[in-house]
Every structure is written in structure tokens, then in C-alpha cells.
Amino acid sequence: METVPCNLCGSNFTEDKMFVSDWLLGRPQVVARLVQCQACGLVYQNPRPTPIEMPAHYPPEYEPYTDIMALRQLPPLLRYALEYGLRKRVKFVTKYKPHGGCLLDIGCASGTFLNSMQAVKGWEVKGIEPNAQVADYARHKYGLDVSIGTLEEVSFPPTYFDCVTMWDVLEHIHDPLSTLLEVRRILKWDGILLVRVPNLASWDASLFRQTWAGLDAPRHLYVFTPDTLTAMLGQAGFKVIDLNCNIGGYVTFVLSLRFWMTARNVSLTLQKQITKTLYHPIARLVSAPLFWIPARLKKGPLMVAIAQKRY
């Protein structure tokens, strides 16, 4: 374990925010301490696992490593919801870069998003994934160009990419500010960066508290709000041109509910029944306004920031 200052402002003046267990992997005994910087408001894990210790918290069954198209045990409606989320990611990119280019996905996992992007005319895609086994899967399954390691280790040429994406990745990185500075270096001057992270200012975070899926301890080292994410991007030399919560609200809510039930020892059978009910089209249709409203108010559980280099 290591103790670190605030990655945004460098202050060591913090207050305890909460203690969170690893509900994703069903390990209530694994507890992370979240603190809030009293100088800038950034919430982060402190102390935290070192980079050497971190792989122990990413076992093969870690869900983002799985290929959603191959998970036949998932209910069809859940598979459809996840596939719909991939299509929305593609639309985020093509909205701001309609003419194609070269795209890098940092933390590409099993390559499902990159596979969707390489099907879009005009796009050349590359990925980075620190887990060698998962990167190898993405290469063989989809024929993707995936480098193993971190962005800094791979060291791309300057002003090389038209678009860089980080889907649910920035919160996992030990030094996110340094990574964003490296992203700025490799982006073309008219390139864009898309970052999706959990939104600590969301209604879901207030509702579920320690069992909110956006905390995902101990893997999420940082938990951002719109203000702290914008501040960190600005510190790295980016200007945010859009920030919204129009993605992933329903799926994240159901995952948070699953964590809440796990924390209260609800049987797996009942959890599966409830999840199946929630993914029924009627349930999604009836509840749609409940997720549309927080998304429009930037109170949804996930937020996407689109940023350009600041001249």
C-alpha cells in the first residue's frame, strides 16, 4: 500500500469520505478508504494498492475483461443493452469526428469497442491494454492492433491520433494527470479526447452511497465530479467542449442495485430474478423518464467529457 498527495493540486490536506468494500467480486473484507482533498475537492483512494499490488484485484473473471458477445449465459435483453451501449460509444466519436481518422482506445480490454469502431468506414484503430492475456484475446478474436502496457510505456509519436478514448479507465490510473498530459502529446491539434468516468455528483451516488457501482473499490483510485474532471483536463492542457451523462444510466443503476443486494446478503437466485425483471422491455420503458431526467441535469451515474487541446 502507498500514501499519496492529491493528483490534481498536490495537497496532503484531506478528510475521510467513506470506506467501501469490493462488491463486484464479492469481497466485503477488501475495504478501501476514500478521502476528499480539502483544497480542490478531488475524491481519491488513500492509502491505495501500489501498481505492483494492483493486478491481484483484476482476476480473469473481472467483468470488463469478458467478451460481451460471447457471454451466452447473460439474458438476451442484458446482451442487447450492452451492445446498445457500444453503439452509443461509436456515435460519440463519429459525432465529433465524422470523417474518420486514427483512433486509440486506452484500456481497450477484450476489444469490443474497437471492433465496433473498425467496422466504421474511414477509421484505423489501435488499442492499449495492460493485461497481456486480455490483449492477446482482442488480437486473435477481432484482429486488432493492441499494445500491451501503459500509454507511457508504449510511447507513440507526437500528434499521431485524431481521437483518443478512455472508457471507464481514467479512474483506474495511478497518475491520471500524467496520463492526460501524454494523451495531449500524441493527439493532433484538431484531435479530440473522449473520457467516460463515474459521476460522484450523480443521484445514484447519493442513493446507493457505499454500494454505488461507480466506486468499485479497490480498482477505482479516483472518483470524479464534473468540476474535478473538468479541472484535471484543464490542468493537462485540454478544453472541455461538451460534458454529458447520456450513456449507461440504466445498466449502472442495475449494477449498483446488485451491489446493494450483495451487501445485504440477498440470495443469488433472488438477485437474478430481480435483474431479469429489470431488463424486461416493459420495465425499461416504464422507468425511462427516471433516467432521462438526471441525464439532462448531468446527474446521471456516468459522464462523458469531450475535450480538445487548449492552444
Side-chain angles (χ1 to χ4, degrees):
M1 298 289 281
E2 61 182 6
T3 301
V4 294
C6 176
N7 192 249
L8 177 56
C9 71
S11 173
N12 284 298
F13 182 37
T14 64
E15 288 188 357
D16 285 353
K17 181 74 173 177
M18 65 179 74
F19 291 84
V20 186
S21 292
D22 183 2
W23 299 117
L24 180 66
L25 298 181
R27 303 186 301 173
Q29 74 281 6
V30 177
V31 179
R33 173 181 178 247
L34 294 181
V35 301
Q36 184 167 32
C37 176
Q38 296 303 289
C40 69
L42 181 66
V43 173
Y44 60 100
Q45 194 180 147
N46 205 25
R48 67 189 190 185
T50 65
I52 294 176
E53 296 170 322
M54 212 61 185
H57 300 296
Y58 293 90
E61 63 269 23
Y62 176 58
E63 291 180 14
Y65 284 167
T66 57
D67 178 14
I68 65 168
M69 305 298 286
L71 291 179
R72 296 183 179 180
Q73 68 270 28
L74 285 179
L77 292 171
L78 177 53
R79 281 205 307 273
Y80 174 81
L82 295 174
E83 292 163 10
Y84 176 70
L86 287 175
R87 292 194 293 271
K88 289 195 74 171
R89 295 189 198 186
V90 170
K91 288 181 179 179
F92 269 113
V93 173
T94 56
K95 175 182 178 180
Y96 291 93
K97 281 289 178 184
H99 304 300
C102 189
L103 178 144
L104 174 68
D105 187 30
I106 301 173
C108 66
S110 60
T112 50
F113 165 68
L114 282 179
N115 182 53
S116 298
M117 276 304 307
Q118 73 176 351
V120 181
K121 184 178 179 180
W123 282 100
E124 174 191 356
V125 301
K126 298 179 183 291
I128 297 177
E129 171 54 47
N131 185 299
Q133 183 178 0
V134 176
D136 192 57
Y137 176 89
R139 292 168 175 166
H140 288 87
K141 174 72 173 180
Y142 300 119
L144 295 168
D145 180 358
V146 177
S147 300
I148 299 171
T150 66
L151 177 62
E152 292 81 0
E153 290 168 346
V154 176
S155 189
F156 289 104
T159 59
Y160 187 84
F161 291 99
D162 297 278
C163 180
V164 174
T165 56
M166 303 178 73
W167 302 107
D168 310 318
V169 168
L170 191 67
E171 64 272 24
H172 294 259
I173 296 174
H174 280 74
D175 188 352
L177 184 57
S178 292
T179 296
L180 290 173
L181 287 167
E182 178 65 4
V183 170
R184 188 181 189 278
R185 186 187 71 82
I186 64 174
L187 261 181
K188 294 179 181 179
W189 288 105
D190 62 344
I192 60 167
L193 166 65
L194 283 84
V195 178
R196 184 174 81 170
V197 295
N199 179 13
L200 186 60
S202 66
W203 290 351
D204 285 46
S206 298
L207 175 64
F208 289 104
R209 297 183 59 77
Q210 283 92 338
T211 58
W212 176 50
L215 300 177
D216 194 24
R219 288 161 294 276
H220 287 189
L221 303 175
Y222 297 89
V223 195
F224 296 95
T225 64
D227 288 342
T228 56
L229 178 61
T230 300
M232 183 165 286
L233 288 166
Q235 188 90 333
F238 286 97
K239 176 183 178 182
V240 175
I241 59 175
D242 186 27
L243 191 149
N244 65 74
C245 298
N246 300 327
I247 189 170
Y250 195 86
V251 173
T252 307
F253 175 85
V254 175
L255 183 59
S256 296
L257 183 61
R258 188 182 109 191
F259 288 3
W260 183 87
M261 291 188 290
T262 300
R264 281 150 185 81
N265 297 314
V266 176
S267 71
L268 288 177
T269 300
L270 181 56
Q271 287 191 38
K272 289 178 180 179
Q273 291 174 345
I274 292 173
T275 301
K276 182 179 180 180
T277 300
L278 289 173
Y279 277 112
H280 192 279
I282 294 177
R284 295 207 67 171
L285 181 63
V286 170
S287 62
L290 299 177
F291 296 92
W292 183 86
I293 294 171
R296 293 300 178 273
L297 297 175
K298 297 183 180 180
K299 295 293 184 179
L302 299 176
M303 55 182 171
V304 178
I306 298 92
Q308 292 179 327
K309 283 187 177 183
R310 192 175 56 208
Y311 297 103

